[in-house]
Amino acid sequence: MSDTSERRLQRILNREGFYTIRSPGSGTGLKHPDPTVDRHLDHPDVVAIRGNSMSDVLVIEDKHTADYPVYVDEAQYDGLRHVADITGAYPVFAVQVKQTRYPHTFHPLPIDDQTPSGTYVLRQSTPTISLHTLTDRTKRP
């Protein structure tokens, strides 16, 4: 969501051995190739890839926020889940609190907390995983 936060996330994952790519136009994506479909293709904020014979791929939506709770609209949540489903990647929301040097907090899918209107809610109490767990595929939930 924030240029600084996304770059910080890239540096963290690069140090862990991932090759990272920030998606241009993330959040909006490319227009769907079928002109009868009025939507865009799903694009996460960051894609992180590691490995040769057994590739490990992370798809990440970065949320740069003043504080918790963080609200994620249903389309963005479903888009991240869709990209993970078609690529076999591990989907995660990375939350960076503004005006802090704290590292990102990683919230893996699924997220069960929703408002009555269907918006997903990330709270400080929402399950998280550490950077060590995120970057070691054998330890991920």
Side-chain angles (χ1 to χ4, degrees):
M1 170 148 293
S2 156
D3 184 62
T4 302
S5 183
E6 288 177 9
R7 288 186 186 282
R8 183 177 296 137
L9 182 57
Q10 280 188 284
R11 283 191 295 276
I12 291 167
L13 293 169
N14 286 146
R15 283 193 297 269
E16 296 295 322
F18 283 85
Y19 174 78
T20 61
I21 303 166
R22 288 177 60 213
S23 299
S26 63
T28 55
L30 297 172
K31 186 150 177 62
H32 197 282
D34 181 345
T36 64
V37 176
D38 185 27
R39 71 175 190 84
H40 289 81
L41 298 174
D42 303 312
H43 284 186
D45 291 325
V46 176
V47 176
I49 304 165
R50 175 175 61 187
N52 295 325
S53 61
M54 282 284 291
S55 290
D56 188 11
V57 180
L58 306 173
V59 288
I60 304 162
E61 280 296 332
D62 179 60
K63 304 307 272 180
H64 194 226
T65 183
D67 205 355
Y68 282 92
V70 177
Y71 296 96
V72 177
D73 67 55
E74 196 171 1
Q76 188 176 46
Y77 181 91
D78 290 345
L80 183 63
R81 189 183 66 215
H82 178 252
V83 170
D85 288 347
I86 63 173
T87 63
Y90 188 78
V92 64
F93 282 95
V95 176
Q96 172 68 53
V97 177
K98 293 178 182 177
Q99 309 300 325
T100 69
R101 287 255 186 242
Y102 296 121
H104 285 81
T105 303
F106 301 103
H107 298 271
L109 271 58
I111 305 298
D112 297 323
D113 194 358
Q114 285 183 277
T115 66
S117 66
T119 300
Y120 289 86
V121 184
L122 300 172
R123 302 180 194 280
Q124 285 182 313
S125 61
T126 301
T128 62
I129 59 175
S130 68
L131 175 64
H132 178 72
T133 301
L134 177 66
T135 59
D136 184 344
R137 73 182 312 161
T138 65
K139 292 188 165 113
R140 292 182 200 141

